[in-house]
Amino acid sequence: MAAHNQTVVHLSEQVVVLFSCFLSLLGSSLIIFTYVSLADLRTTPRKLLLFLSVADWLSAVSYAFGVWRVFDSDSLDCIVQGAISTFANTSSFFWTVAIAVYLYVFIVRSSQRSADSLMLFFHLVSWGVPLTITVAAVCLNKIGYTASEVSVGWCWIRIHTSDRVLWMLLTGKIWEFLAYLTLPVLYILIKRHIHTAHAALSEYRPLVSNRTASYSFSSMADMKLTLIPIIFIVLRIWSTIRFILLLVGSPARLNPVLVTLHGIGNTSQGAANCIMFVLFTAPVRTRLFALLCCCRADSLEPQQARDGKPGPTRGLNDQREDDVTSVTHTDR
């Protein structure tokens, strides 16, 4: 795997990063499946999350191919993989920020119409800008072999290109830096607005029996608003550190632990989003499990009929669906 002036990607690192790619691919697929299957959860924020998951899905597939191959030259498949990962990764940055902007306009500015009107702009920027930059990089022969100096086996900006720093900024790093600054600010403003509104309402809200449940929902939402930018920074910071070490010429960028963390961070966004917005979101989790259980029950009905065993009654299923729907609307 190693060549002259090339960062060695060990087999253990490959296995760990490939497993991270698999989790991200699975997580992104689950988010997409949830949106397609559960019609009552197709809110605008969930639609934005769907587009983010598509970008993360493409990113996980392209990164997995690059980590599996560990390219050592500017081959055609290296260029194709580098172009796809560049487009998907950059698009993921834009969609992540788009979700924060939408929530800010919707919650802080209290204007759903203004927030929904941004959808076309989000599409033009989040798909158009990455596509334009990627096409320009490919046409100018900037994408190719990286010697794993700023990657973990996959291809990106050619390491021997004289203006590689400029293109590394344009194809990812500058948008990554902007996301580091934008996401915490927007989510802090959202949290501040929610806390202010909650404090104002609490002065007039009488003590009711379901106060504990309402407080639980508020606490979960508050925790997510805190974790979203933190998780993004924790996952992405390792690639930023290696980029900075490359700029200063430090050999520390070759450290196997740092290389592994870089690989895990760049490929885990889809898995992190799935944990945050599916597994840790009670209404979505409940609806998803109910859907899977119904599918399993439907598959067992023919067998139960042959065995002479009665299946679940329709009334019980209807009641369960009504309960789930009520929880979903409460969380929204």
Side-chain angles (χ1 to χ4, degrees), residues 12 41 43 56 74 82 88 114 174 185 198 205 224 238 251 255 261 267 290 314 326 329:
S12 59
L41 295 181
T43 61
D56 289 335
D74 290 319
S114 298
I174 190 171
V185 171
H198 182 75
R205 182 181 299 153
K224 287 182 181 179
W238 312 108
N255 185 284
L261 290 173
T267 59
R314 178 64 178 170
S326 65
H329 288 308

Side-chain angles (χ1 to χ4, degrees), residues 190-191 194-195 197-199 201-202 205 210-226 330-332:
I190 294 171
K191 280 168 58 68
I194 292 175
H195 288 172
H198 182 75
L201 288 173
S202 64
R205 182 181 299 153
N210 63 347
R211 184 177 184 275
T212 302
S214 300
Y215 179 78
S216 177
F217 282 123
S218 300
S219 299
M220 180 60 72
D222 186 71
M223 182 185 71
K224 287 182 181 179
L225 290 174
T226 303
T330 301
D331 187 68
R332 287 184 194 172

Side-chain angles (χ1 to χ4, degrees), residues 49-78:
L49 182 62
L50 170 71
F51 299 135
L52 172 60
S53 298
V54 171
D56 289 335
W57 192 93
L58 285 173
S59 182
V61 171
S62 60
Y63 279 142
F65 182 72
V67 174
W68 173 67
R69 279 290 310 268
V70 186
F71 292 103
D72 57 5
S73 64
D74 290 319
S75 58
L76 178 60
D77 53 348
C78 167

Side-chain angles (χ1 to χ4, degrees), residues 253-311:
R253 69 182 183 277
L254 311 180
N255 185 284
V257 175
L258 184 58
V259 172
T260 303
L261 290 173
H262 176 190
I264 294 174
N266 268 41
T267 59
S268 296
Q269 192 66 50
N273 289 336
C274 180
I275 293 173
M276 285 284 292
F277 300 111
V278 176
L279 301 182
F280 281 4
T281 302
V284 180
R285 184 178 66 246
T286 304
R287 291 285 288 112
L288 180 61
F289 287 167
L291 175 65
L292 296 177
C293 289
C294 287
C295 292
R296 183 180 179 184
D298 291 341
S299 65
L300 291 177
E301 281 181 1
Q303 181 64 36
Q304 291 173 339
R306 287 194 296 268
D307 295 341
K309 297 178 181 179

Side-chain angles (χ1 to χ4, degrees), residues 58-318:
L58 285 173
S59 182
V61 171
S62 60
Y63 279 142
F65 182 72
V67 174
W68 173 67
R69 279 290 310 268
V70 186
F71 292 103
D72 57 5
S73 64
D74 290 319
S75 58
L76 178 60
D77 53 348
C78 167
I79 296 173
V80 172
Q81 180 273 313
I84 294 175
S85 63
T86 297
F87 166 77
N89 196 46
T90 307
S91 180
S92 179
F93 292 150
F94 281 104
W95 281 117
T96 301
V97 175
I99 293 175
V101 171
Y102 179 91
L103 293 176
Y104 173 81
V105 175
F106 180 73
I107 296 174
V108 178
R109 298 300 181 184
S110 301
S111 177
Q112 182 175 356
R113 178 177 297 180
S114 298
D116 290 341
S117 67
L118 292 172
M119 285 298 295
L120 179 59
F121 174 76
F122 289 153
H123 280 288
L124 291 176
V125 173
S126 300
W127 298 127
V129 173
L131 181 61
T132 301
I133 294 174
T134 302
V135 170
V138 172
C139 292
L140 295 175
N141 197 30
K142 302 299 181 181
I143 291 182
Y145 174 61
T146 66
S148 295
E149 294 289 281
V150 283
S151 68
V152 187
W154 58 75
C155 292
W156 186 31
I157 300 301
R158 295 173 60 222
I159 194 64
H160 300 301
T161 301
S162 58
D163 54 352
R164 61 182 179 274
V165 174
L166 172 63
W167 281 97
M168 286 178 183
L169 290 171
L170 288 175
T171 56
K173 291 306 171 186
I174 190 171
W175 315 116
E176 190 175 66
F177 292 143
L178 289 175
Y180 287 155
L181 298 175
T182 304
L183 291 177
V185 171
L186 289 175
Y187 282 112
I188 287 173
L189 291 175
I190 294 171
K191 280 168 58 68
R192 180 181 175 184
H193 177 83
I194 292 175
H195 288 172
T196 301
H198 182 75
L201 288 173
S202 64
E203 296 180 7
Y204 304 98
R205 182 181 299 153
L207 294 176
V208 293
S209 59
N210 63 347
R211 184 177 184 275
T212 302
S214 300
Y215 179 78
S216 177
F217 282 123
S218 300
S219 299
M220 180 60 72
D222 186 71
M223 182 185 71
K224 287 182 181 179
L225 290 174
T226 303
L227 290 178
I228 289 171
I230 292 177
I231 290 175
F232 179 85
I233 294 174
V234 168
L235 291 179
R236 295 289 182 175
I237 194 65
W238 312 108
S239 64
T240 303
I241 292 174
R242 286 194 74 199
F243 175 70
I244 295 174
L245 292 175
L246 175 68
L247 295 182
V248 300
S250 173
R253 69 182 183 277
L254 311 180
N255 185 284
V257 175
L258 184 58
V259 172
T260 303
L261 290 173
H262 176 190
I264 294 174
N266 268 41
T267 59
S268 296
Q269 192 66 50
N273 289 336
C274 180
I275 293 173
M276 285 284 292
F277 300 111
V278 176
L279 301 182
F280 281 4
T281 302
V284 180
R285 184 178 66 246
T286 304
R287 291 285 288 112
L288 180 61
F289 287 167
L291 175 65
L292 296 177
C293 289
C294 287
C295 292
R296 183 180 179 184
D298 291 341
S299 65
L300 291 177
E301 281 181 1
Q303 181 64 36
Q304 291 173 339
R306 287 194 296 268
D307 295 341
K309 297 178 181 179
T313 62
R314 178 64 178 170
L316 181 60
N317 287 336
D318 290 342

Side-chain angles (χ1 to χ4, degrees), residues 36-50:
V36 173
S37 302
L38 305 177
D40 57 322
L41 295 181
R42 294 175 190 171
T43 61
T44 303
R46 287 272 158 189
K47 185 181 295 185
L48 294 172
L49 182 62
L50 170 71

